[in-house]
Amino acid sequence: MLLYQFKMGTNPRRVIIYLAEKGIDIPRYELDYASGEHRSASYMALNPSGRAPTLVTADGTAITESAAIVEYLEELYPERPMLGTDPVQRARVRALERAGNDLIVRSQAWLWNLAGAFKAKEPQPSALVAAKNWRYVEELLDYLEVAVGDDEFLAGTAPTVADFTNFAIFQTARERFDQPFGTDHPKLDAWYRRFRARPSANY
């Protein structure tokens, strides 16, 4: 297997953190986003979306999208499950992971207009649009603040894909773009700080 990644990217981070938490060692190739390698003909042949990550399996199958890659690997490596251990927990993990997916989409639209660093995505960033988008980001932060409660992890007492998905966008906003993302949500902020201390969270 070979994982094509961009280690600073929000979506690749979900897989990278998962691999670290599971203790799975897979050969990796770091895409050079600065030079546009992710848009090269050779990479686009593997992943027509031109985005990371992509996992190429032993038989040459290219699996795209972080959630699909994680599910594939969970099938291969079922020890220490990261999708929950019983039907109720799996449902909770799925719900929180889905919220994380939505949070990534909403937050990226906000960051594209706020940071001015995504000219390919938003050639004319607008502070007004960013402010409007933030309302939809905050809606999900409010939900997650209630969901995490006093648990150590988002879905209970052990790390799951719900943590990896949500943490990735928190880390992007806070560390790459120096935004106080979720800092006014005390339980989420405490969750982020706990998870950030884990070795898997290091870039």
Side-chain angles (χ1 to χ4, degrees), residues 139-168:
E139 179 181 76
L140 286 173
L141 293 177
D142 292 344
Y143 162 70
L144 291 168
E145 174 76 2
V146 175
V148 68
D150 296 318
D151 289 335
E152 182 177 359
F153 299 97
L154 282 181
T157 59
T160 68
V161 296
D163 296 286
F164 316 151
T165 300
N166 284 279
F167 179 83

mmCIF file of all heavy atoms in Angstrom, residues 139-168:
data_model
loop_
_atom_site.group_PDB
_atom_site.id
_atom_site.type_symbol
_atom_site.label_atom_id
_atom_site.label_comp_id
_atom_site.label_asym_id
_atom_site.label_seq_id
_atom_site.Cartn_x
_atom_site.Cartn_y
_atom_site.Cartn_z
ATOM 1 N N GLU A 139 -22.821 27.375 14.818
ATOM 2 C CA GLU A 139 -23.946 26.481 15.061
ATOM 3 C C GLU A 139 -23.468 25.064 15.393
ATOM 4 O O GLU A 139 -23.985 24.419 16.316
ATOM 5 C CB GLU A 139 -24.843 26.464 13.818
ATOM 6 C CG GLU A 139 -26.049 25.560 13.886
ATOM 7 C CD GLU A 139 -26.835 25.607 12.592
ATOM 8 O OE1 GLU A 139 -26.381 24.994 11.600
ATOM 9 O OE2 GLU A 139 -27.891 26.274 12.564
ATOM 10 N N LEU A 140 -22.475 24.587 14.647
ATOM 11 C CA LEU A 140 -21.938 23.255 14.898
ATOM 12 C C LEU A 140 -21.037 23.222 16.129
ATOM 13 O O LEU A 140 -21.018 22.231 16.861
ATOM 14 C CB LEU A 140 -21.168 22.763 13.669
ATOM 15 C CG LEU A 140 -22.052 22.336 12.496
ATOM 16 C CD1 LEU A 140 -21.204 22.038 11.269
ATOM 17 C CD2 LEU A 140 -22.893 21.117 12.864
ATOM 18 N N LEU A 141 -20.312 24.289 16.383
ATOM 19 C CA LEU A 141 -19.506 24.351 17.600
ATOM 20 C C LEU A 141 -20.397 24.275 18.838
ATOM 21 O O LEU A 141 -20.063 23.600 19.824
ATOM 22 C CB LEU A 141 -18.660 25.622 17.626
ATOM 23 C CG LEU A 141 -17.554 25.729 16.570
ATOM 24 C CD1 LEU A 141 -16.855 27.085 16.671
ATOM 25 C CD2 LEU A 141 -16.537 24.599 16.704
ATOM 26 N N ASP A 142 -21.544 24.944 18.784
ATOM 27 C CA ASP A 142 -22.495 24.895 19.901
ATOM 28 C C ASP A 142 -22.989 23.465 20.123
ATOM 29 O O ASP A 142 -23.107 23.012 21.268
ATOM 30 C CB ASP A 142 -23.690 25.818 19.633
ATOM 31 C CG ASP A 142 -23.321 27.291 19.651
ATOM 32 O OD1 ASP A 142 -22.232 27.637 20.155
ATOM 33 O OD2 ASP A 142 -24.135 28.103 19.161
ATOM 34 N N TYR A 143 -23.276 22.772 19.034
ATOM 35 C CA TYR A 143 -23.733 21.392 19.125
ATOM 36 C C TYR A 143 -22.648 20.491 19.727
ATOM 37 O O TYR A 143 -22.915 19.684 20.630
ATOM 38 C CB TYR A 143 -24.125 20.879 17.736
ATOM 39 C CG TYR A 143 -24.197 19.379 17.634
ATOM 40 C CD1 TYR A 143 -25.208 18.661 18.264
ATOM 41 C CD2 TYR A 143 -23.235 18.659 16.912
ATOM 42 C CE1 TYR A 143 -25.262 17.269 18.181
ATOM 43 C CE2 TYR A 143 -23.280 17.282 16.823
ATOM 44 C CZ TYR A 143 -24.292 16.593 17.455
ATOM 45 O OH TYR A 143 -24.332 15.224 17.371
ATOM 46 N N LEU A 144 -21.429 20.639 19.267
ATOM 47 C CA LEU A 144 -20.330 19.809 19.751
ATOM 48 C C LEU A 144 -19.996 20.114 21.206
ATOM 49 O O LEU A 144 -19.587 19.214 21.954
ATOM 50 C CB LEU A 144 -19.096 20.001 18.871
ATOM 51 C CG LEU A 144 -19.209 19.444 17.454
ATOM 52 C CD1 LEU A 144 -18.053 19.948 16.589
ATOM 53 C CD2 LEU A 144 -19.220 17.912 17.473
ATOM 54 N N GLU A 145 -20.179 21.347 21.624
ATOM 55 C CA GLU A 145 -19.947 21.711 23.021
ATOM 56 C C GLU A 145 -20.847 20.906 23.944
ATOM 57 O O GLU A 145 -20.421 20.421 25.005
ATOM 58 C CB GLU A 145 -20.185 23.216 23.209
ATOM 59 C CG GLU A 145 -20.118 23.714 24.644
ATOM 60 C CD GLU A 145 -18.704 23.836 25.183
ATOM 61 O OE1 GLU A 145 -17.743 23.571 24.443
ATOM 62 O OE2 GLU A 145 -18.552 24.205 26.367
ATOM 63 N N VAL A 146 -22.079 20.731 23.531
ATOM 64 C CA VAL A 146 -23.020 19.929 24.321
ATOM 65 C C VAL A 146 -22.680 18.442 24.203
ATOM 66 O O VAL A 146 -22.709 17.696 25.195
ATOM 67 C CB VAL A 146 -24.471 20.186 23.852
ATOM 68 C CG1 VAL A 146 -25.437 19.258 24.577
ATOM 69 C CG2 VAL A 146 -24.857 21.641 24.092
ATOM 70 N N ALA A 147 -22.332 18.018 23.006
ATOM 71 C CA ALA A 147 -22.087 16.597 22.754
ATOM 72 C C ALA A 147 -20.910 16.054 23.548
ATOM 73 O O ALA A 147 -20.960 14.936 24.066
ATOM 74 C CB ALA A 147 -21.873 16.361 21.264
ATOM 75 N N VAL A 148 -19.836 16.833 23.648
ATOM 76 C CA VAL A 148 -18.643 16.323 24.325
ATOM 77 C C VAL A 148 -18.862 16.228 25.828
ATOM 78 O O VAL A 148 -18.331 15.325 26.483
ATOM 79 C CB VAL A 148 -17.390 17.162 23.997
ATOM 80 C CG1 VAL A 148 -17.477 18.555 24.580
ATOM 81 C CG2 VAL A 148 -16.120 16.453 24.478
ATOM 82 N N GLY A 149 -19.642 17.134 26.373
ATOM 83 C CA GLY A 149 -19.904 17.094 27.806
ATOM 84 C C GLY A 149 -18.616 17.066 28.605
ATOM 85 O O GLY A 149 -17.689 17.834 28.354
ATOM 86 N N ASP A 150 -18.549 16.133 29.556
ATOM 87 C CA ASP A 150 -17.351 16.011 30.383
ATOM 88 C C ASP A 150 -16.517 14.791 30.012
ATOM 89 O O ASP A 150 -15.625 14.386 30.764
ATOM 90 C CB ASP A 150 -17.751 15.924 31.867
ATOM 91 C CG ASP A 150 -18.426 17.206 32.347
ATOM 92 O OD1 ASP A 150 -17.941 18.295 31.982
ATOM 93 O OD2 ASP A 150 -19.429 17.110 33.077
ATOM 94 N N ASP A 151 -16.811 14.205 28.839
ATOM 95 C CA ASP A 151 -16.047 13.045 28.387
ATOM 96 C C ASP A 151 -14.636 13.446 27.983
ATOM 97 O O ASP A 151 -14.387 14.573 27.561
ATOM 98 C CB ASP A 151 -16.731 12.370 27.201
ATOM 99 C CG ASP A 151 -18.015 11.645 27.610
ATOM 100 O OD1 ASP A 151 -18.119 11.255 28.787
ATOM 101 O OD2 ASP A 151 -18.897 11.480 26.753
ATOM 102 N N GLU A 152 -13.741 12.485 28.072
ATOM 103 C CA GLU A 152 -12.359 12.757 27.664
ATOM 104 C C GLU A 152 -12.256 12.936 26.159
ATOM 105 O O GLU A 152 -11.509 13.772 25.659
ATOM 106 C CB GLU A 152 -11.438 11.610 28.099
ATOM 107 C CG GLU A 152 -9.982 11.842 27.753
ATOM 108 C CD GLU A 152 -9.066 10.731 28.256
ATOM 109 O OE1 GLU A 152 -9.585 9.790 28.887
ATOM 110 O OE2 GLU A 152 -7.855 10.824 28.020
ATOM 111 N N PHE A 153 -13.034 12.130 25.426
ATOM 112 C CA PHE A 153 -13.050 12.191 23.972
ATOM 113 C C PHE A 153 -14.471 12.514 23.513
ATOM 114 O O PHE A 153 -15.425 12.439 24.298
ATOM 115 C CB PHE A 153 -12.559 10.877 23.377
ATOM 116 C CG PHE A 153 -11.152 10.530 23.766
ATOM 117 C CD1 PHE A 153 -10.908 9.654 24.824
ATOM 118 C CD2 PHE A 153 -10.068 11.096 23.110
ATOM 119 C CE1 PHE A 153 -9.614 9.342 25.209
ATOM 120 C CE2 PHE A 153 -8.770 10.793 23.484
ATOM 121 C CZ PHE A 153 -8.533 9.920 24.536
ATOM 122 N N LEU A 154 -14.623 12.868 22.256
ATOM 123 C CA LEU A 154 -15.928 13.312 21.777
ATOM 124 C C LEU A 154 -17.016 12.255 21.953
ATOM 125 O O LEU A 154 -18.158 12.573 22.260
ATOM 126 C CB LEU A 154 -15.838 13.713 20.299
ATOM 127 C CG LEU A 154 -15.230 15.077 19.995
ATOM 128 C CD1 LEU A 154 -15.242 15.334 18.490
ATOM 129 C CD2 LEU A 154 -15.976 16.200 20.721
ATOM 130 N N ALA A 155 -16.649 10.985 21.747
ATOM 131 C CA ALA A 155 -17.658 9.932 21.802
ATOM 132 C C ALA A 155 -17.503 9.035 23.019
ATOM 133 O O ALA A 155 -17.989 7.903 23.010
ATOM 134 C CB ALA A 155 -17.630 9.102 20.523
ATOM 135 N N GLY A 156 -16.818 9.510 24.056
ATOM 136 C CA GLY A 156 -16.709 8.696 25.250
ATOM 137 C C GLY A 156 -15.318 8.646 25.837
ATOM 138 O O GLY A 156 -14.620 9.665 25.921
ATOM 139 N N THR A 157 -14.877 7.449 26.208
ATOM 140 C CA THR A 157 -13.636 7.298 26.964
ATOM 141 C C THR A 157 -12.442 6.888 26.116
ATOM 142 O O THR A 157 -11.341 6.721 26.653
ATOM 143 C CB THR A 157 -13.828 6.234 28.070
ATOM 144 O OG1 THR A 157 -14.201 4.988 27.456
ATOM 145 C CG2 THR A 157 -14.908 6.656 29.051
ATOM 146 N N ALA A 158 -12.643 6.703 24.816
ATOM 147 C CA ALA A 158 -11.550 6.293 23.931
ATOM 148 C C ALA A 158 -11.590 7.112 22.648
ATOM 149 O O ALA A 158 -12.659 7.557 22.219
ATOM 150 C CB ALA A 158 -11.656 4.795 23.610
ATOM 151 N N PRO A 159 -10.439 7.313 22.007
ATOM 152 C CA PRO A 159 -10.416 8.084 20.759
ATOM 153 C C PRO A 159 -11.106 7.328 19.629
ATOM 154 O O PRO A 159 -11.020 6.096 19.548
ATOM 155 C CB PRO A 159 -8.927 8.257 20.475
ATOM 156 C CG PRO A 159 -8.262 7.105 21.167
ATOM 157 C CD PRO A 159 -9.089 6.845 22.385
ATOM 158 N N THR A 160 -11.794 8.077 18.780
ATOM 159 C CA THR A 160 -12.472 7.513 17.616
ATOM 160 C C THR A 160 -12.308 8.450 16.429
ATOM 161 O O THR A 160 -11.763 9.555 16.563
ATOM 162 C CB THR A 160 -13.979 7.314 17.871
ATOM 163 O OG1 THR A 160 -14.612 8.609 17.985
ATOM 164 C CG2 THR A 160 -14.242 6.494 19.130
ATOM 165 N N VAL A 161 -12.831 8.032 15.308
ATOM 166 C CA VAL A 161 -12.759 8.877 14.117
ATOM 167 C C VAL A 161 -13.501 10.191 14.316
ATOM 168 O O VAL A 161 -13.217 11.181 13.608
ATOM 169 C CB VAL A 161 -13.291 8.146 12.877
ATOM 170 C CG1 VAL A 161 -12.425 6.953 12.539
ATOM 171 C CG2 VAL A 161 -14.745 7.729 13.048
ATOM 172 N N ALA A 162 -14.430 10.237 15.259
ATOM 173 C CA ALA A 162 -15.106 11.505 15.553
ATOM 174 C C ALA A 162 -14.098 12.543 16.030
ATOM 175 O O ALA A 162 -14.156 13.722 15.640
ATOM 176 C CB ALA A 162 -16.193 11.293 16.604
ATOM 177 N N ASP A 163 -13.157 12.114 16.863
ATOM 178 C CA ASP A 163 -12.106 13.028 17.333
ATOM 179 C C ASP A 163 -11.200 13.453 16.189
ATOM 180 O O ASP A 163 -10.897 14.644 16.024
ATOM 181 C CB ASP A 163 -11.262 12.347 18.417
ATOM 182 C CG ASP A 163 -12.053 12.031 19.663
ATOM 183 O OD1 ASP A 163 -12.353 12.958 20.425
ATOM 184 O OD2 ASP A 163 -12.371 10.840 19.864
ATOM 185 N N PHE A 164 -10.763 12.491 15.379
ATOM 186 C CA PHE A 164 -9.806 12.798 14.324
ATOM 187 C C PHE A 164 -10.398 13.776 13.317
ATOM 188 O O PHE A 164 -9.710 14.681 12.839
ATOM 189 C CB PHE A 164 -9.364 11.529 13.598
ATOM 190 C CG PHE A 164 -9.057 10.359 14.498
ATOM 191 C CD1 PHE A 164 -9.222 9.066 14.055
ATOM 192 C CD2 PHE A 164 -8.609 10.563 15.801
ATOM 193 C CE1 PHE A 164 -8.946 7.974 14.870
ATOM 194 C CE2 PHE A 164 -8.328 9.494 16.642
ATOM 195 C CZ PHE A 164 -8.504 8.188 16.177
ATOM 196 N N THR A 165 -11.667 13.583 12.985
ATOM 197 C CA THR A 165 -12.323 14.435 11.987
ATOM 198 C C THR A 165 -12.474 15.856 12.498
ATOM 199 O O THR A 165 -12.129 16.821 11.811
ATOM 200 C CB THR A 165 -13.697 13.852 11.616
ATOM 201 O OG1 THR A 165 -13.518 12.534 11.083
ATOM 202 C CG2 THR A 165 -14.404 14.726 10.594
ATOM 203 N N ASN A 166 -12.986 15.990 13.711
ATOM 204 C CA ASN A 166 -13.196 17.332 14.256
ATOM 205 C C ASN A 166 -11.881 18.012 14.622
ATOM 206 O O ASN A 166 -11.708 19.211 14.377
ATOM 207 C CB ASN A 166 -14.115 17.257 15.486
ATOM 208 C CG ASN A 166 -15.562 17.053 15.107
ATOM 209 O OD1 ASN A 166 -16.260 17.999 14.760
ATOM 210 N ND2 ASN A 166 -16.032 15.814 15.165
ATOM 211 N N PHE A 167 -10.955 17.245 15.192
ATOM 212 C CA PHE A 167 -9.682 17.840 15.588
ATOM 213 C C PHE A 167 -8.958 18.447 14.397
ATOM 214 O O PHE A 167 -8.316 19.502 14.520
ATOM 215 C CB PHE A 167 -8.788 16.793 16.261
ATOM 216 C CG PHE A 167 -7.451 17.338 16.664
ATOM 217 C CD1 PHE A 167 -7.292 18.018 17.858
ATOM 218 C CD2 PHE A 167 -6.344 17.179 15.835
ATOM 219 C CE1 PHE A 167 -6.047 18.540 18.218
ATOM 220 C CE2 PHE A 167 -5.105 17.693 16.190
ATOM 221 C CZ PHE A 167 -4.955 18.371 17.388
ATOM 222 N N ALA A 168 -9.054 17.794 13.251
ATOM 223 C CA ALA A 168 -8.301 18.256 12.077
ATOM 224 C C ALA A 168 -8.639 19.695 11.711
ATOM 225 O O ALA A 168 -7.742 20.488 11.396
ATOM 226 C CB ALA A 168 -8.560 17.329 10.899
#
